[in-house]
Amino acid sequence: MRLTLAFTSLLLSANNYASYGFAPPATSVGMTSPRTLPITPTSSLLSATTENEEIALNPMLASIKPSKTVEIFSLVKQMQAEGNEVTSLCVGEPDFLPPQAVLDAAVEAVRAGDTGYTAVTGTAALRQAIVDDLKRRKGIEYAPTDVVVGNGAKQCVYQGVLAVCGPGDAVIVPAPYWPSYPEMVALAGADPVILETKADDGFLITPEALRDTLESNSNAKLLILCNPSNPTGGVHDQERLEQLAKVLEDYPQVAILADEIYERLVYTNNGVCPAFAAMPNMFHRTMTVNGFSKAYAMTGMRLGYVAAPTKLAKAIATIQSQLTSCAGSISQAAGVAALTKVEDEELDANVKIMEEKRNYVLDRLASMNDVNVAVPPNGAFYVLPDVSTYFNGDDAELCLQLLKSKQLALVPGSSFGAPGTIRISYATSLDELKVACDKLEQFLQENE
């Protein structure tokens, strides 16, 4: 199901830089002139490339694959630094700044010297703001002590997995999936079990498929539910979530990790995405993960949280206390402002702009031969079109040739458990989207 490292190797090797007409990355950056160094016998010189056969890596790494999105993004930045104009739709990062209130709060925190450690689980002000926001918008009530603030939602997801799962356990991961989910499960020593969904269903989980998967995996301990979905943009509505909850009532040993980082980017149902913890009988077994990167464009501030029943929240806090301790104090001050000083209308305006971008991309894709989006995405800022008629369904080769010939960077769907597709992030300007769609259309026409 997972894309092999071949795509990454092809992209990152020095030979392929040369084949694109780009200079390979420098192997020695910022080195002091040799004249300023004492002469040292060659035999005594050490370098980072010196092999040490005696040091063995953790065998677990053999089953862990690096993030394709991050690696492609890194390659794009390298190519751009070398003077090449690359159009990139590979990273899910809003193209607008955080709200002014957020920026002002960060500046004020710096000026006030608010730069010390906070409690491991976050400042009291931020945890209270999170509790109030979840109660107001989602109808779920937590105590501040049941909230753990982390360095981004990604850390919170991983710690949630670690808190529940270990060797011998199975974790249900619906596909298409965010590539980090299966790898986090593997890092915890557990086994990811892929629950396939269908494009014709909007890549949503059906209650029948969930029950079948649970019946076939009696060792299942956790279901990861990303709603809205990265990479599909699919949104499970209230009715579907209630259907899934009804199935899960028959499997009380299964916890749910609800990754709701995109929940404020929804284009239907008046922009409302229900919390899974609010479903009947699900609160006591659900870990709700959210953060500030997507709706508030605070990606670089690395701020997320998990809200969970007391037992699970304490376990997650214990793990975090031994990994990173607290999130950054400046980011936390900005997070308080995001939840208490930014009006809903300001965020709603950004959602409308994002919806316009989605509609533009869908219209352009509809005009391209043999490119299919069975069900339009209703949330997040991704489209996952089927392009399986090109390159014999080899989406990695398609993306490689697209980058080579048109300098357009997209992520192959295979890395999301969706072979034959490509993920397009429309979280950029309309001008950039036009350039990208023009490049993609020209490329596909040339390869029909």
Side-chain angles (χ1 to χ4, degrees), residues 91-346:
V91 174
E93 182 173 40
D95 65 323
F96 47 84
L97 287 173
Q100 190 60 47
V102 170
L103 299 175
D104 291 344
V107 171
E108 179 57 31
V110 172
R111 288 176 174 166
D114 188 9
T115 57
Y117 291 126
T118 74
V120 167
T121 55
T123 64
L126 179 54
R127 286 182 284 127
Q128 185 63 56
I130 291 168
V131 166
D132 292 343
D133 181 65
L134 289 174
K135 181 178 180 180
R136 177 180 72 88
R137 295 192 307 107
K138 315 297 280 188
I140 46 180
E141 295 189 38
Y142 293 94
T145 51
D146 292 335
V147 174
V148 180
V149 176
N151 295 277
K154 191 170 192 175
Q155 177 182 4
C156 297
V157 170
Y158 181 42
Q159 291 176 168
V161 173
L162 283 175
V164 174
C165 303
D169 295 330
V171 176
I172 309 301
V173 180
Y177 46 72
W178 184 41
S180 292
Y181 291 148
E183 309 308 326
M184 289 175 176
V185 171
L187 282 169
D191 299 314
V193 174
I194 306 304
L195 190 166
E196 299 289 350
T197 62
K198 298 178 181 179
D200 290 341
D201 295 327
F203 294 114
L204 302 181
I205 307 168
T206 65
E208 296 81 10
L210 177 59
R211 184 175 294 279
D212 288 346
T213 304
L214 290 169
E215 280 294 311
S216 301
N217 296 274
S218 59
N219 59 336
K221 288 285 297 296
L222 181 68
L223 165 68
I224 297 180
L225 174 63
C226 185
N227 192 42
S229 167
N230 175 9
T232 71
V235 180
H236 295 76
D237 62 14
Q238 177 82 21
E239 181 180 4
R240 180 61 59 90
L241 292 177
E242 289 179 354
Q243 291 171 349
L244 300 180
K246 189 66 176 176
V247 172
L248 286 162
E249 287 184 14
D250 295 334
Y251 304 89
Q253 78 281 6
V254 179
I256 300 91
L257 193 152
D259 185 349
E260 299 177 355
I261 187 69
Y262 296 96
E263 54 93 14
R264 297 210 70 154
L265 293 165
V266 174
Y267 314 122
T268 58
N269 192 33
N270 294 318
V272 175
C273 180
F276 193 76
M279 298 302 109
N281 302 315
M282 290 296 113
F283 180 86
H284 69 286
R285 53 198 287 197
T286 300
M287 297 173 279
T288 300
V289 174
N290 209 326
F292 299 81
S293 293
K294 310 305 180 181
Y296 296 96
M298 294 165 59
T299 51
M301 293 189 179
R302 308 310 304 131
L303 192 66
Y305 67 84
V306 55
T310 301
K311 178 181 178 180
L312 294 174
K314 286 183 176 180
I316 292 168
T318 297
I319 293 168
Q320 182 163 304
S321 72
Q322 299 298 348
L323 292 180
T324 62
S325 295
C326 63
S329 58
I330 307 301
S331 296
Q332 292 191 60
V336 173
L339 295 178
T340 61
K341 295 183 179 181
V342 178
E343 299 294 335
D344 290 341
E345 291 75 15
E346 184 172 353

Side-chain angles (χ1 to χ4, degrees), residues 57-128:
L57 297 177
N58 187 332
M60 184 185 297
L61 287 172
S63 64
I64 306 300
K65 296 175 175 60
S67 167
K68 299 296 180 296
T69 306
V70 172
E71 291 184 337
I72 296 169
F73 181 67
S74 298
L75 173 62
V76 168
K77 288 300 182 183
Q78 175 66 40
M79 292 163 64
Q80 290 172 335
E82 293 168 356
N84 302 289
E85 292 190 10
V86 181
T87 305
S88 175
L89 302 183
C90 66
V91 174
E93 182 173 40
D95 65 323
F96 47 84
L97 287 173
Q100 190 60 47
V102 170
L103 299 175
D104 291 344
V107 171
E108 179 57 31
V110 172
R111 288 176 174 166
D114 188 9
T115 57
Y117 291 126
T118 74
V120 167
T121 55
T123 64
L126 179 54
R127 286 182 284 127
Q128 185 63 56

